Amino acid sequence: MKIYIPTNSKLMYIADLLFYGITILVLSVFLLFAAPRNQALGLSLLILCGLLSWTGLEYLIHRFILHGVLPFERWHQEHHRFPSALIRTPTILSASLILLLVFFPISLFSENVWQACALTLGLLAGYFTYSMTHHAIHHWHANSTWLKRRQEWHGLHHDLDEPRRYGVTSEFWDWIFRSR
């Protein structure tokens, strides 16, 4: 059975990045102007918590979903075969998973919708950072030491017969779980 590989046109690839960039902007403006002022510190901490939590999610998703669960594993294998191809999880799927697994559960168990928006905003900012970093790793000429290091680290992930080094934006979890 042939599994669909979500290779995107350049337009759809850019549209996905724009969708998340615009969503982050809209959520930021919404929280900035509509959220109660007396919750500003708590909401800011939740945004930071979501952003920092992304690094762990990035590692777990890359290691256990992209290297272990179909169809994601097959899509990711294609990415390994063709690192410059514009292969991304379809926006409708990634956005639906974020709503179903992040926003809705948090809104059910938090005190108010502002907290769900703040934590989701932080996670989305982390996801967007990951997306841009991963794109830069494969498509840009590195001018910064940080990006050069990311390219070397991720290049090793692609070159090894048994993939290791699952962090894209950070090496932290690879050090913790000894997958470097």
Side-chain angles (χ1 to χ4, degrees):
M1 173 174 77
K2 185 170 171 70
I3 294 180
Y4 167 73
I5 306 296
T7 304
N8 301 120
S9 68
K10 197 176 246 185
L11 178 63
M12 291 306 295
Y13 187 86
I14 291 169
D16 181 74
L17 293 172
L18 283 173
F19 171 79
Y20 284 107
I22 291 168
T23 301
I24 289 165
L25 182 64
V26 167
L27 260 178
S28 298
V29 169
F30 179 64
L31 284 170
L32 186 64
F33 292 108
R37 294 279 178 231
N38 65 342
Q39 295 185 29
L41 178 60
L43 295 177
S44 298
L45 291 173
L46 283 171
I47 293 168
L48 182 61
C49 182
L51 182 60
L52 294 175
S53 295
W54 171 256
T55 64
L57 280 173
E58 172 190 314
Y59 178 87
L60 293 171
I61 290 167
H62 192 182
R63 183 169 186 177
F64 297 108
I65 305 293
L66 300 182
H67 285 276
V69 176
L70 290 175
F72 306 104
E73 181 178 27
R74 187 69 50 89
W75 297 348
H76 196 64
Q77 287 171 351
E78 284 299 300
H79 167 64
H80 276 256
R81 286 183 42 196
F82 305 103
S84 295
L86 302 178
I87 298 172
R88 296 182 62 80
T89 301
T91 308
I92 189 73
L93 178 58
S94 62
S96 297
L97 289 172
I98 291 166
L99 280 172
L100 290 172
L101 300 176
V102 178
F103 181 78
F104 290 143
I106 294 167
S107 63
L108 287 174
F109 296 108
S110 63
E111 293 178 21
N112 56 55
V113 73
W114 307 112
Q115 293 175 342
C117 287
L119 196 57
T120 302
L121 172 59
L123 282 167
L124 285 175
Y127 177 65
F128 186 75
T129 301
Y130 155 79
S131 294
M132 292 304 297
T133 301
H134 192 253
H135 176 79
I137 285 168
H138 288 288
H139 298 279
W140 295 357
H141 175 71
N143 290 324
S144 73
T145 304
W146 181 81
L147 184 55
K148 285 179 186 173
R149 176 72 181 147
R150 303 279 29 98
Q151 286 176 327
E152 290 168 7
W153 184 264
H154 194 64
L156 288 170
H157 170 76
H158 275 263
D159 290 342
L160 297 173
D161 289 335
E162 182 183 327
R164 295 177 71 73
R165 302 177 188 238
Y166 298 98
V168 174
T169 57
S170 168
E171 300 169 20
F172 178 77
W173 297 107
D174 285 297
W175 286 95
I176 296 296
F177 293 116
R178 300 177 194 270
S179 56
R180 60 193 190 288

